[in-house]
Amino acid sequence: MAPAPMAAWSDGRIIEKDQPTPTTVRLRLHVDDRPHHLPGQHYILRLRAPDGYTAQRSYSLASDSDDPLLEMLVERQPDGEVSEFLADVAEVGDVLELRGPIGRWFVWDTKSRVLCLVGGTGVVPAVAMARTARRLGRTDLLRIAAMGRSRDELAYASELERYGATLAFTRADVDGRPAGPFTAAELTPLLEGVDLGYVCGSARFASYAEDLLVACGLDPGAIRVERFGPTGD
């Protein structure tokens, strides 16, 4: 299904807010008459001060399109004017300005066989893809390898594990696996029969992940990368 045309600015009311990890905030918002979105798309969230000043940031969606609410994960950045407001000030019932869905390059068509190699808060679009795959009964098409510092610091770790994702932690040994990033030996079997590789995470993680996929034999032209930097607050 083709993505819907990008909507105009609309209002999203915070229905749920929680803190899945020490540095992240999960927001679930209701948006009236919101357009259909595809797994991998994102929304722009805009804050407006009383004097008219605005600041906006993009956040990937964790929700499946059938979810009645939009779900976003915000990483609290030091001195981040948007992330600090969402983490410390915004409350359930508040209304935020939103625009979306946005994105075509990083969208899973639900037909291709793909591997998501994601790190940190870059797991969010992979969660949306996993939820969609489960709803469609096509978990055979989507594999996920997710990396974080530790289980407690990786949002959605339990959900990803239930999906069957392969997890790696750089600062914690888990189930006999020593702490450290994914290796080619771990990743190569996951690439068997894969059409596309999706990489999402920080700029540093994205560079590592893209190089690793190529080293494991995936054509560079079959890799789609979404990276964020320190200004993504």
Side-chain angles (χ1 to χ4, degrees), residues 18-91:
D18 58 27
Q19 189 173 3
T21 75
T23 59
T24 61
V25 173
R26 185 180 69 110
L27 300 176
R28 286 177 54 79
L29 305 102
H30 171 77
V31 180
D32 287 332
D33 301 319
R34 80 172 198 260
H36 173 84
H37 73 266
L38 297 178
Q41 291 189 300
H42 63 275
Y43 266 66
I44 296 173
L45 189 152
R46 180 169 67 186
L47 302 180
R48 185 183 300 275
D51 63 1
Y53 171 78
T54 62
Q56 62 188 44
R57 299 290 183 268
S58 295
Y59 295 104
S60 295
L61 298 177
S63 43
D64 176 30
S65 62
D66 276 13
D67 192 327
L69 301 178
L70 285 181
E71 184 172 326
M72 303 176 183
L73 186 75
V74 177
E75 184 174 19
R76 192 182 191 283
Q77 300 286 349
D79 300 319
E81 58 184 351
V82 174
S83 65
E84 285 192 340
F85 176 88
L86 295 175
D88 303 335
V89 180
E91 299 178 346

Side-chain angles (χ1 to χ4, degrees), residues 38-41 104-119 122-123 125-126 129 141-146 187 191 194-201 205-206 209-210 213 218-220 222-227:
L38 297 178
Q41 291 189 300
R104 293 178 180 270
W105 171 247
F106 205 76
V107 165
W108 178 42
D109 63 9
T110 71
K111 299 175 183 177
S112 302
R113 294 183 179 274
V114 304
L115 171 67
C116 292
L117 179 53
V118 291
V123 302
M129 294 178 191
L141 296 180
L142 178 73
R143 300 168 188 166
I144 299 173
L187 208 63
L191 285 168
V194 161
D195 302 311
L196 294 169
Y198 288 79
V199 169
C200 187
F205 173 84
E210 190 172 9
L213 288 175
L218 190 61
D219 186 330
I223 302 174
R224 300 184 180 184
V225 180
E226 187 170 86
R227 56 171 55 87

